[in-house]
Amino acid sequence: MKVAILIIYFAFIIGLGIYSWLKIKQPTDYFIAGKRSGFWQVSGSLLATVLGGSAILGTVNLTKDQSWAAAWYLVAASLGLWLLVPLVGKVNRLGKYTLTNLVGQFYGETARKTASVIIPIAWVGIVAAQIIASAKILFSFFNLPYETGVLLSGTVFILYTLIGGQISIIKTDLFQSFIILFGVILTAFLLWNAPEQVPAFSQSFPFNPQFSPIDLLILVLTFSSTFVVGPDIYSRVFCAKDEKTARKSVRIVAAVLLPFAFILAYIGVFAFSHLPKGQLEESAALIEIINLYLPDWIAGVMAAALLSAVLSSADTTLLTSSMILSELIHPDINNARSLKNTRFFILLCGIISILLALKVTSIIGTLLLALAFYSGAFIVPLVAALTNLKVNKRLSIWAMIIGGLVALSGKLAIGFWENNYGNWIIISAFAVNALILAIPENKQISANK
């Protein structure tokens, strides 16, 4: 039954991509769905993008070490969206197709080109994280070898994004978001009625030996911030038909994420409290719980739902990265040549992400490594621009490059040092970025003379 549902699911996805391809009349349809999307479409697409496979499976798996504190992962995402609410109107009004276009408006053409190189590099890691999550879903539900799952998932992601663009993404995300919410809530409900008990909430939340206040600070700086200023989030905002629609959508998704974070954490602490440890080494705890407690046909539907979650994040990220690279060649991508270039970059970035997923198998590790680099580079400059702070635009490029490299080095250092040195390096990246931008331009000119 599960295999039949999977085949139907993949056939539906490819078919919808072909149908959407026939509906594309101009480049804006492919890039931002014609900028005609209403409240439900934008909300559903934004929620499905946030609740990607890496977020759902990653949150549940984090409970193995962090217990209830793993809920902070999606709570941090909600916090980022709440911080975006007062800025989202300006983003919708000024933005065209990509975040890098906003960078160019605020900091100039050179800064835009720099961002157009840096962001796709970081976002390839995000796509790879979704491919990793999908491969683990296929392994857990269908015992498909990891390498085969990576190749199959990556190929479907590329084809779906390549053919239909934003039109197909927007069409399916609302439906997918309802399936994701229904499936996870149903699983939690069934577990709630099970006789087994879970560790007490107060014993591990808000903090415990595996998750400290400094860990929360790092999560807010490197993860929450990407929802305030993130290419994939902004791609949904750009699709909204007006500022009011964009603001309402961001607000409702931020609200939904708060209870959902604790529902996922509950499933995780239940799983790691009762399932045999050896059973969870190579597969996701959420999927093991589904296989044990849900009927086979519901497990098949949940497999499709989880794959939908992965797809909705992967295709958004893949399309956004490719559009940014296309803008690097030609700033105005509203033409047939740029559309062709974008499709080429979808293929290129997709292949690179597949190769990365074959080498790295950690979902959250891959995700947070990419986000650390991005956040260290762009959060401070873009928040400063959106809030009309006076900054040194001449040094903005150096602020982005140095901030991103320092944050990345801190994230890498965490794997070598058991203490908090790496975390403090990440924090310093934001301070260094802000200090560079705060240098008065007249002093810089005088120094050059």
Side-chain angles (χ1 to χ4, degrees):
M1 177 65 75
K2 288 187 292 187
V3 175
I5 291 176
L6 180 68
I7 293 173
I8 293 172
Y9 168 76
F10 278 127
F12 171 77
I13 290 298
I14 297 300
L16 182 59
I18 295 173
Y19 172 79
S20 299
W21 174 69
L22 296 174
K23 293 293 183 180
I24 296 172
K25 305 300 181 183
Q26 53 189 350
T28 53
D29 293 331
Y30 191 86
F31 296 140
I32 54 174
K35 203 174 179 63
R36 296 185 296 267
S37 302
F39 167 73
W40 285 107
Q41 289 177 312
V42 176
S43 299
S45 187
L46 179 59
L47 182 61
T49 298
V50 175
L51 293 179
S54 57
I56 294 177
L57 299 182
T59 298
V60 172
N61 288 345
L62 279 175
T63 60
K64 179 179 182 181
D65 298 318
Q66 299 177 6
S67 191
W68 281 100
W72 278 116
Y73 187 73
L74 283 181
V75 170
S78 175
L79 173 62
L81 290 178
W82 283 117
L83 294 174
L84 173 61
V85 169
L87 303 175
V88 71
K90 187 174 183 179
V91 173
N92 178 265
R93 184 172 65 256
L94 297 179
K96 293 183 179 179
Y97 302 106
T98 66
L99 181 144
T100 52
N101 181 266
L102 286 177
V103 172
Q105 292 182 46
F106 295 137
Y107 293 104
E109 186 65 10
T110 303
R112 183 191 68 81
K113 290 181 178 179
T114 303
S116 296
V117 174
I118 295 176
I119 292 177
I121 293 175
W123 249 238
V124 162
I126 311 297
V127 179
Q130 307 307 323
I131 294 176
I132 293 169
S134 180
K136 292 192 174 186
I137 292 170
L138 292 173
F139 170 80
S140 299
F141 276 116
F142 308 102
N143 202 29
L144 195 69
Y146 176 78
E147 292 77 11
T148 304
V150 167
L151 294 174
L152 176 61
S153 302
T155 301
V156 172
F157 294 167
I158 292 171
L159 289 176
Y160 179 72
T161 310
L162 194 68
I163 297 171
Q166 203 72 259
I167 287 184
S168 58
I169 295 171
I170 287 290
K171 281 182 180 297
T172 56
D173 276 357
L174 176 60
F175 175 71
Q176 290 171 342
S177 64
F178 280 120
I179 292 182
I180 295 165
L181 291 174
F182 173 77
V184 174
I185 292 172
L186 176 62
T187 301
F189 176 77
L190 294 174
L191 295 181
W192 186 266
N193 292 316
E196 293 91 344
Q197 300 297 315
V198 300
F201 180 79
S202 59
Q203 291 180 356
S204 56
F205 191 91
F207 304 110
N208 57 60
Q210 283 70 44
F211 190 85
S212 65
I214 187 68
D215 292 319
L216 177 58
L217 177 60
I218 295 300
L219 190 64
V220 170
L221 287 175
T222 62
F223 189 60
S224 296
S225 58
T226 61
F227 291 85
V228 183
V229 183
D232 50 345
I233 302 301
Y234 280 21
S235 69
R236 305 354 275 131
V237 174
F238 295 152
C239 290
K241 62 182 180 181
D242 52 41
E243 296 178 34
K244 182 180 180 181
T245 298
R247 188 178 296 107
K248 286 175 59 179
S249 297
V250 171
R251 190 181 292 118
I252 191 65
V253 172
V256 169
L257 287 178
L258 287 173
F260 196 78
F262 293 96
I263 291 173
L264 282 177
Y266 172 76
I267 294 173
V269 295
F270 184 100
F272 286 107
S273 298
H274 299 94
L275 294 179
K277 292 183 178 180
Q279 206 171 353
L280 300 175
E281 290 179 356
E282 295 184 3
S283 59
L286 172 61
I287 298 172
E288 289 298 327
I289 286 292
I290 291 171
N291 284 331
L292 286 175
Y293 284 86
L294 273 66
D296 188 65
W297 71 270
I298 296 181
V301 172
M302 274 303 299
L306 288 173
L307 289 171
S308 296
V310 175
L311 176 62
S312 63
S313 292
D315 55 19
T316 298
T317 309
L318 187 56
L319 177 59
T320 301
S321 301
S322 303
M323 288 166 59
I324 290 173
L325 288 171
S326 184
E327 279 189 336
L328 187 60
I329 299 174
H330 196 288
D332 183 7
I333 60 174
N334 189 20
N335 57 77
R337 184 175 182 83
S338 292
L339 178 58
K340 183 178 180 180
N341 291 336
T342 300
R343 283 177 164 147
F344 167 77
F345 285 122
I346 288 172
L347 183 61
L348 178 63
C349 291
I351 292 174
I352 294 174
S353 298
I354 290 174
L355 295 176
L356 182 60
L358 289 172
K359 295 295 182 181
V360 183
T361 60
S362 171
I363 301 173
I364 293 296
T366 304
L367 186 68
L368 293 182
L369 193 66
L371 292 179
F373 179 80
Y374 170 80
S375 58
F378 295 104
I379 299 304
V380 173
L382 283 168
V383 169
L386 289 170
T387 54
N388 299 318
L389 293 179
K390 187 177 181 180
V391 297
N392 190 326
K393 295 184 178 181
R394 294 172 179 266
L395 294 179
S396 61
I397 298 174
W398 288 108
M400 294 173 188
I401 295 175
I402 294 174
L405 290 176
V406 172
L408 180 61
S409 65
K411 196 67 181 178
L412 292 172
I414 293 175
F416 296 98
W417 291 326
E418 294 182 358
N419 47 37
N420 285 325
Y421 291 155
N423 286 331
W424 287 113
I425 292 174
I426 294 174
I427 294 173
S428 71
F430 293 86
V432 169
N433 199 319
L435 287 173
I436 294 175
L437 290 173
I439 297 175
E441 289 198 50
N442 59 340
K443 288 187 178 182
Q444 178 204 352
I445 294 173
S446 300
N448 289 339
K449 291 180 178 180

